[in-house]
Amino acid sequence: AQSVAQPEDQVNVAEGNPLTVKCTYSVSGNPYLFWYVQYPNRGLQFLLKYITGDNLVKGSYGFEAEFNKSQTSFHLKKPSALVSDSALYFCATYYGNNRLAFGKGNQVVVIP
Amino acid sequence: DAGITQSPRHKVTETGTPVTLRCHQTENHRYMYWYRQDPGHGLRLIHYSYGVKDTDKGEVSDGYSVSRSKTEDFLLTLESATSSQTSVYFCAIRGELNTEAFFGQGTRLTVV
């Protein structure tokens, strides 16, 4: 069962513009949320996580994510996108007995 | 990069043959996971382990078995490979609860 949802298949953004990749979750109790990035023919790389504390989480490569409990969302953001940010992005959460579940992924295309 | 190695990196096999993929870690992490990645499905959990000889099923475990006889190795076996098991397989490792997971480089398996 999916515990996170990524509603968009692909996000296109012009270089220099703000980038947002959406994620919503459905987990009972306090969620533990993660974002990963995958470049072509590579494994997944960890970007950032929310466990507790501040709703705005800062991560690698200038990315940040905002945890919103009322909207059950954990959107990934970057103020100014780079062409090199073009990749596949995954939202993830733990559920059940230490299972780590991923969304279907968002392809981000940054247009020069 | 975390000390995690998958082998082989590429394999082509015939329908009906057994196949074993290996995940090896040098981090002494407790948790290990096997995923498959397919277009449109993101990453789906096959099996995971929470200790030596302790394993549990994920969401797509049919046709797969796993073994973990020592901390550093987690084996995924396809008892009788089918074309529907053509995929990219990723192993991940994780330390303590709610920490992020680290991924291997993946194994591209083709069943002909």
Side-chain angles (χ1 to χ4, degrees):
Chain A
Q2 290 291 324
S3 299
V4 288
Q6 296 180 245
E8 301 165 318
D9 291 334
Q10 182 163 316
V11 175
N12 296 326
V13 61
E15 186 176 23
N17 281 3
L19 169 63
T20 297
V21 188
K22 297 179 180 178
C23 173
T24 59
Y25 66 90
S26 59
V27 177
S28 59
N30 295 321
Y32 303 105
L33 300 163
F34 304 82
W35 275 103
Y36 288 82
V37 61
Q38 184 181 34
Y39 299 101
N41 300 314
R42 301 289 300 274
L44 276 70
Q45 297 178 28
F46 168 75
L47 278 179
L48 51 78
K49 65 183 177 184
Y50 173 82
I51 302 297
T52 187
D54 291 340
N55 290 340
L56 186 63
V57 178
K58 295 188 182 297
S60 306
Y61 313 122
F63 284 93
E64 58 188 28
E66 185 172 9
F67 172 69
N68 187 318
K69 189 172 183 177
S70 63
Q71 298 184 4
T72 62
S73 67
F74 188 56
H75 300 333
L76 181 70
K77 300 179 181 181
K78 187 171 185 180
S80 179
L82 302 172
V83 172
S84 57
D85 293 326
S86 297
L88 193 55
Y89 291 80
F90 291 95
C91 182
T93 189
Y94 289 112
Y95 74 101
N97 186 21
N98 293 304
R99 293 173 173 83
L100 181 58
F102 287 81
K104 293 186 177 182
N106 280 118
Q107 184 67 52
V108 170
V109 177
V110 181
I111 303 163
Chain B
D1 289 345
I4 177 171
T5 305
Q6 291 184 233
S7 59
R9 293 292 313 279
H10 302 271
K11 186 171 181 65
V12 179
T13 192
E14 294 186 348
T15 298
T17 60
V19 177
T20 295
L21 309 183
R22 181 186 186 224
C23 179
H24 178 78
Q25 61 148 328
T26 58
E27 304 295 325
N28 200 35
H29 282 344
R30 178 182 178 187
Y31 298 94
M32 300 185 76
Y33 301 82
W34 275 109
Y35 291 89
R36 59 179 290 174
Q37 183 178 21
D38 304 287
H41 292 279
L43 273 81
R44 292 181 290 176
L45 181 64
I46 305 171
H47 283 279
Y48 72 103
S49 171
Y50 47 96
V52 173
K53 299 187 179 179
D54 291 324
T55 64
D56 203 351
K57 296 180 179 179
E59 59 182 308
V60 290
S61 59
D62 288 348
Y64 301 94
S65 63
V66 290
S67 66
R68 192 168 178 199
S69 59
K70 46 187 178 178
T71 299
E72 56 265 37
D73 288 326
F74 192 34
L75 304 180
L76 176 70
T77 297
L78 291 66
E79 300 292 345
S80 177
T82 67
S83 59
S84 64
Q85 293 175 312
T86 291
S87 188
V88 180
Y89 291 85
F90 285 99
C91 177
I93 63 175
R94 178 172 70 84
E96 293 307 311
L97 189 64
N98 301 328
T99 57
E100 60 270 25
F102 297 95
F103 281 78
Q105 294 290 76
T107 294
R108 185 173 296 276
L109 177 67
T110 302
V111 183
V112 298

